[in-house]
Amino acid sequence: MTHLTSDELIDAMEAEAGQSKSPGVLEAERMTHLSSCPACQAQLTELAAVLNDAKESGVVEPSPLFWNHFSQRVSAAIDAEPAGLAPWLRWQVLVPLGAVAMLIVALVVSVPQREQPAGQEQEAIVSAASSEQPSDEWGVFAELVGELDLETASAAGVIEPGAADLAVLHLTAEERQELTRLLQAELTRVKS
Amino acid sequence: MSHESAVAIQPWVLPVKPLAELDDAALVRVAARGSREAFDVIVERHRRPVYQVCYRFVNNHEDASDLAQDAFVRAWKGLKNFKGQSALSTWLYRIAVNVCLNRVSVKAPITEPIESTEHFEDVRIEGAQQAMLREERAAAVRTAIAALPEKQRATLILRTYHELSHQEIADILGSSVGAVKANFFHALNNLKKILGTKP
């Protein structure tokens, strides 16, 4: 029969030492081998002796005064950590805000198109896409949302009816101020 | 540090309890909602074992206290991700071991010389010479442990001094129970070799 494996030696050692938490269990057949194999027994004795040595080596305890000092250090280190995102920058706020901003952009983009004569419409779109917009993707996006107004978006199920109003109603003063700033920036950018 | 402020976890069910009387799970819930007082209690309750894990890793007080502090800062930042799948202590050990493994891999451990170690045992009970020899042996063992390969060291520390199960250690180290037992076996064998070469 083969000698005990490293796993089995650990199980046997912990069973012998009365390891309190989840000791390994050695199969009866392997226990029989262990009881009749001097090599395995010698290895087990050596392992147990080293483990005992290890258990007897306590940690050098710091001064009792250290612990309060340690707690204060942890507290100071947490204070020094950079703060996370502002509480109002949550996705629950940002998603409706983004939807509102997109709708405003869509409305603003669609208004001049209706006022222009049909012949100039295409030219205006091409001109806007080529000279003012930063990328081709933005031009495609502008074309896609060009005819989309709030009612159409609601009817298409893109947004739930009243979702934008509801989102705005739930904003705090700080959030409303930020929304105003975003919208004004967007209007200025589109008009320029 | 005083923790007299009281927090009601579920005011309609439980009476208001001082933070220090809450169990770990309740403290985590309160701390995860941003209560620094609750986290202070967690630190107070677990700082010693977390420090000891770190000390066993690096075998010197300065690094151990830095590592333990780092572990608690990370725990504070990650508190919302702790869902109670394991005991809080096991989760903190996991963080401490990871902090140690990261730090140790970029910095060789500086071990305190045997002569500088202090002992607080009552030397009146045994002869001073015997106590000194015992402390020297203990210091040699600590130095030998700090010289073990990282995973063997982590396994030996968590199993021998903190009595974590093989499965818990496997979860912490991201390995299997078989690998944990093999690491433990090799750790003891290496310890034997290192100590065997000491006078």
Side-chain angles (χ1 to χ4, degrees):
Chain A
M1 191 178 283
T2 55
H3 291 301
L4 297 189
T5 62
S6 58
D7 280 24
E8 289 170 337
L9 280 166
I10 291 296
D11 286 342
M13 179 189 72
E14 290 186 343
E16 256 190 32
Q19 181 77 33
S20 59
K21 196 168 183 184
S22 67
V25 179
L26 202 59
E27 288 174 13
E29 188 189 355
R30 306 302 285 154
M31 282 295 283
T32 312
H33 167 81
L34 178 62
S35 59
S36 62
C37 175
C40 287
Q41 283 175 10
Q43 211 173 358
L44 186 61
T45 307
E46 281 181 354
L47 281 177
V50 179
L51 180 66
N52 204 40
D53 254 356
K55 278 184 174 168
E56 284 183 359
S57 73
V59 165
V60 179
E61 283 290 331
S63 148
L65 300 174
F66 165 74
W67 296 116
N68 275 343
H69 174 61
F70 177 78
S71 290
Q72 286 162 9
R73 272 180 57 181
V74 171
S75 198
I78 290 172
D79 287 339
E81 282 290 308
L85 288 174
W88 64 273
L89 282 174
R90 301 180 309 265
W91 69 267
Q92 292 96 326
V93 175
L94 288 177
V95 167
L97 259 181
V100 170
M102 278 180 64
L103 279 170
I104 299 291
V105 171
L107 287 169
V108 169
V109 168
S110 67
V111 169
Q113 288 175 352
R114 285 182 189 149
E115 289 171 352
Q116 283 170 348
Q120 291 176 3
E121 189 176 334
Q122 191 62 29
E123 196 183 320
I125 291 171
V126 171
S127 159
S130 60
S131 64
E132 292 179 13
Q133 308 307 338
S135 68
D136 290 345
E137 289 85 352
W138 183 253
V140 172
F141 173 73
E143 276 198 47
L144 284 172
V145 299
E147 295 300 321
L148 193 68
D149 55 18
L150 189 60
E151 288 75 18
T152 317
S154 296
V158 175
I159 56 162
E160 286 181 21
D165 299 349
L166 202 64
V168 172
L169 281 175
H170 281 85
L171 295 179
T172 62
E174 187 188 12
E175 291 163 353
R176 280 193 194 135
Q177 200 177 353
E178 181 63 11
L179 176 62
T180 310
R181 191 190 64 73
L182 284 172
L183 294 177
Q184 280 172 346
E186 196 56 42
L187 284 168
T188 313
R189 196 185 63 77
V190 171
K191 280 179 185 169
S192 64
Chain B
M1 210 172 288
S2 165
H3 302 292
E4 294 305 316
S5 53
V7 174
I9 304 302
Q10 291 168 312
W12 59 94
V13 177
L14 294 174
V16 174
K17 263 183 160 183
L19 285 171
E21 287 178 20
L22 297 179
D23 63 12
D24 280 352
L27 275 176
V28 166
R29 283 197 297 275
V30 179
R33 292 202 296 255
S35 164
R36 284 286 295 278
E37 283 95 351
F39 191 72
D40 286 345
V41 179
I42 291 175
V43 172
E44 202 173 319
R45 213 172 268 180
H46 294 276
R47 61 194 176 190
R48 193 166 177 270
V50 167
Y51 167 85
Q52 285 180 340
V53 167
C54 299
Y55 187 92
R56 297 269 185 202
F57 245 89
V58 292
N59 199 25
N60 77 81
H61 172 70
E62 288 306 316
D63 283 345
S65 50
D66 284 352
L67 290 165
Q69 176 189 316
D70 199 4
F72 278 114
V73 172
R74 288 191 194 197
W76 167 254
K77 283 155 70 177
L79 209 55
K80 282 178 183 156
N81 301 324
F82 176 64
K83 306 291 179 203
Q85 310 93 321
S86 61
L88 177 63
S89 57
T90 308
W91 184 68
L92 291 171
Y93 290 154
R94 178 200 294 263
I95 296 172
V97 165
N98 282 329
V99 167
C100 289
L101 289 175
N102 288 339
R103 179 78 65 95
V104 169
S105 61
V106 294
K107 187 180 175 185
I110 305 161
T111 53
E112 282 174 354
I114 290 169
E115 290 77 17
S116 75
T117 55
E118 301 168 56
H119 59 95
F120 297 94
E121 289 167 18
D122 191 350
V123 291
R124 288 169 298 184
I125 298 170
E126 52 189 335
Q129 196 178 3
Q130 201 181 347
M132 199 173 75
L133 285 173
R134 233 172 68 157
E135 180 48 38
E136 277 186 10
R137 179 68 176 171
V141 171
R142 287 195 295 268
T143 307
I145 290 171
L148 290 173
E150 290 170 2
K151 289 211 168 176
Q152 290 179 23
R153 200 184 326 168
T155 306
L156 180 81
I157 292 168
L158 294 174
R159 185 67 177 155
T160 307
Y161 304 108
H162 300 277
E163 294 208 329
L164 263 62
S165 70
H166 295 129
Q167 185 60 59
E168 284 170 328
I169 299 170
D171 292 342
I172 287 174
L173 297 178
S175 56
S176 64
V177 167
V180 167
K181 285 183 185 176
N183 272 328
F184 194 27
F185 175 80
H186 291 304
L188 291 173
N189 262 335
N190 284 331
L191 207 56
K192 186 180 73 183
K193 281 181 201 161
I194 299 168
L195 293 170
T197 59
K198 302 266 178 197

